[in-house]
Amino acid sequence: MTYREILKLYKQGKLEEEKQKEVEADIEKQNAISEYLFEEDTIPGMEFREENNEEEGVEAEQDNYFLKMINRSIKRAFIKMGVTIGAVVLIIVLMIVFALPGFVSLFYYDPGKVIGENQSNGRKTNQISMDMAVYTELFVPGYYRSRVEVDDLGYGKYDICIKQETSINGVFTDLSGKINKNNMILYDTNVIKRPVQNVFMRTEGTEGLPFTSYANEESGEMEYGGPAGTAEEAKAELQKLDDKDYYIAYVTLDKVTDYEEFMKWFETMELSDPWCSVYLEDEYGTLPTYNIGFMTYTDSYSMCYDEKEYPGLAYPDIPYKVPDKEEAKTHFLSILKYMSQQKRFLKMMGEEMSVDYNRMIELVKKDGLQLNGFAIVADKAELLALAEEEKAIYIYTVPIR
């Protein structure tokens, strides 16, 4: 049996105990010899020969030269091997420190990914800023956010700060949190939280909306209401509001109204820009969702995006004007399309299955922009005046958080 075969049996653990000990001793001996050769300048048995006489002089010189070459080659081989192993270890360490965190992040949502840069002001748009701008415009009236700062920690982990850039009441509320491998934790979930119930009262033409009903104290008959009670109770609640505070008011229209008709009426009053609630009931009398809409003005004009893919996603800054019917329709279709494609972001927000965006797009294209209500930020005096309008039949308010 050859020694190579014996080593193979040793690695397989099939040698007898005595034979196994002999092999281990040989291995230890070989390691010791290798270390000794690396540390010594010469190899035992290959020492330089001294010239004993003139006849042997030439031969001895040739032998010495040959032995020097062998020693140098062996040392050079050991040094080369050591340098190679050191370089490989260094490369691996550098990859772990610098490349691996970014590589791991490729498999997860990257909030800091730059999707465009504004050439006029140099401001870059990252992924989560655009996602948050579209999301808050669709679902969270009064809490529009279009700027998110991101600190990349590697391995799919990020610290984020959702900035508030405009305010009516002079109070700015930034929202901090973190993202860890497609999981987002916000330290105050109430700021950009969707309404948990239908905030508009059911009226004629909005049979698809979920509704609340109350018994009339005088007649005993059931009548529609909303989160603030009946229409009369909601109106009475307005008197209890603080004169100095601002509120988000969800206003129900007396009937489903075309966007163009609504804006003609709304512009007769001096109120803040409205958020328009879009009502889209299909042929089966159901809604893809409710409490969803769009704004007539945003500050996302400075953001960068694919304008061919999402035309009108952001309104122009100058000159500012109220978007007409077609501009508003194009804008709403684009934000629906954009949001439908942000699967990872929606999953983090817990919204991935709550809205049938494609169905909504079909209905908007077919029916246009039909509104059942709107939302504004206003004070008590403005809301009391609005409550006297025949078209505003129900107002539900919540304090600005």
Side-chain angles (χ1 to χ4, degrees):
M1 182 181 299
T2 66
Y3 202 79
R4 189 181 298 276
E5 292 174 338
I6 293 175
L7 285 175
K8 185 176 181 181
L9 292 175
Y10 171 76
K11 291 199 308 188
Q12 295 174 350
K14 297 181 179 179
L15 286 178
E16 297 178 356
E17 183 178 355
E18 184 177 349
K19 195 66 176 177
Q20 182 175 333
K21 290 181 179 179
E22 291 180 7
V23 173
E24 290 173 349
D26 290 342
I27 293 173
E28 175 63 26
K29 184 189 298 181
Q30 183 62 35
N31 288 338
I33 292 172
S34 297
E35 291 177 3
Y36 175 78
L37 290 176
F38 181 73
E39 294 172 357
E40 293 295 322
D41 290 334
T42 61
I43 302 173
M46 291 189 177
E47 295 84 359
F48 298 149
R49 294 172 55 188
E50 297 292 339
E51 298 183 24
N52 296 323
N53 52 57
E54 293 181 359
E55 296 177 357
E56 296 179 350
V58 174
E59 183 180 352
E61 185 178 350
Q62 291 177 344
D63 289 346
N64 287 338
Y65 177 77
F66 179 69
L67 291 175
K68 286 181 180 180
M69 293 299 296
I70 292 176
N71 282 327
R72 288 175 182 174
S73 297
I74 292 175
K75 288 195 70 176
R76 191 180 297 115
F78 276 113
I79 293 172
K80 185 177 180 180
M81 181 176 64
V83 170
T84 301
I85 293 174
V88 170
V89 171
L90 179 61
I91 291 172
I92 293 174
V93 171
L94 290 175
M95 288 181 62
I96 292 174
V97 173
F98 296 104
L100 187 59
F103 177 75
V104 172
S105 295
L106 293 177
F107 297 93
Y108 302 99
Y109 176 79
D110 182 1
K113 177 183 176 183
V114 176
I115 62 175
E117 181 175 355
N118 190 302
Q119 297 301 320
S120 62
N121 58 22
R123 178 174 172 179
K124 296 179 180 179
T125 301
N126 60 32
Q127 184 69 56
I128 195 172
S129 290
M130 181 58 76
D131 293 348
M132 196 62 68
V134 175
Y135 178 82
T136 53
E137 179 177 357
L138 278 173
F139 297 116
V140 199
Y143 296 98
Y144 178 75
R145 301 289 188 271
S146 62
R147 181 187 168 198
V148 185
E149 295 179 351
V150 179
D151 184 13
D152 189 347
L153 305 177
Y155 299 101
K157 299 179 181 180
Y158 307 87
D159 286 335
I160 61 172
C161 182
I162 305 172
K163 310 291 289 186
Q164 180 179 354
E165 297 191 287
T166 59
S167 173
I168 289 182
N169 63 357
V171 178
F172 288 81
T173 304
D174 294 341
L175 178 60
S176 298
K178 61 183 179 180
I179 295 175
N180 184 1
K181 298 178 180 178
N182 293 349
N183 294 309
M184 181 161 64
I185 299 175
L186 299 177
Y187 300 133
D188 184 356
T189 58
N190 292 320
V191 174
I192 55 173
K193 189 175 182 179
R194 287 181 62 182
V196 296
Q197 59 182 328
N198 173 31
V199 293
F200 299 100
M201 188 175 73
R202 190 173 186 179
T203 60
E204 184 179 352
T206 61
E207 287 77 9
L209 280 179
F211 67 94
T212 305
S213 60
Y214 302 88
N216 187 290
E217 294 182 357
E218 296 181 0
S219 65
E221 296 180 357
M222 301 302 293
E223 59 181 296
Y224 290 136
T230 65
E232 288 300 319
E233 289 171 339
K235 193 171 184 179
E237 285 296 315
L238 297 179
Q239 298 291 344
K240 302 177 183 179
L241 300 180
D242 191 301
D243 294 334
K244 298 179 181 179
D245 287 341
Y246 282 85
Y247 300 85
I248 297 174
Y250 299 93
V251 184
T252 303
L253 298 172
D254 62 339
K255 62 179 181 179
V256 176
T257 306
D258 178 77
Y259 168 79
E260 194 170 40
E261 179 185 344
F262 163 74
M263 288 307 301
K264 287 180 180 178
W265 167 75
F266 185 84
E267 288 183 306
T268 63
M269 297 171 287
E270 295 183 357
L271 296 171
S272 63
D273 299 302
W275 175 88
C276 302
S277 174
V278 180
Y279 181 82
L280 292 169
E281 182 178 324
D282 61 21
E283 61 271 25
Y284 304 105
T286 59
L287 294 174
T289 189
Y290 54 90
N291 293 341
I292 189 170
F294 64 95
M295 298 164 60
T296 58
Y297 174 76
T298 70
D299 60 359
S300 61
Y301 54 82
S302 63
M303 305 181 75
C304 297
Y305 59 94
D306 188 340
E307 296 185 20
K308 292 183 179 179
E309 182 73 9
Y310 312 107
L313 185 67
Y315 296 122
D317 178 32
I318 300 174
Y320 168 70
K321 67 182 184 66
V322 175
D324 61 27
K325 186 175 182 178
E326 288 304 315
E327 290 171 334
K329 180 179 177 180
T330 299
H331 172 71
F332 189 55
L333 287 172
S334 286
I335 61 178
L336 287 176
K337 181 180 179 180
Y338 179 89
M339 199 80 273
S340 71
Q341 298 171 348
Q342 311 311 314
K343 305 298 184 183
R344 286 180 172 178
F345 176 79
L346 288 172
K347 187 174 182 180
M348 289 193 305
M349 300 298 293
E351 302 286 353
E352 72 273 20
M353 299 299 293
S354 63
V355 179
D356 187 346
Y357 294 97
N358 293 329
R359 183 62 178 145
M360 289 197 70
I361 289 172
E362 293 175 2
L363 293 173
V364 170
K365 289 180 177 178
K366 180 173 69 74
D367 300 329
L369 295 177
Q370 303 299 313
L371 311 182
N372 66 300
F374 63 97
I376 57 171
V377 176
D379 59 19
K380 178 180 179 179
E382 291 172 323
L383 294 176
L384 288 175
L386 181 60
E388 299 302 319
E389 294 283 336
E390 293 183 3
K391 201 163 185 61
I393 62 173
Y394 190 87
I395 301 178
Y396 164 58
T397 64
V398 292
I400 290 182
R401 295 187 289 269

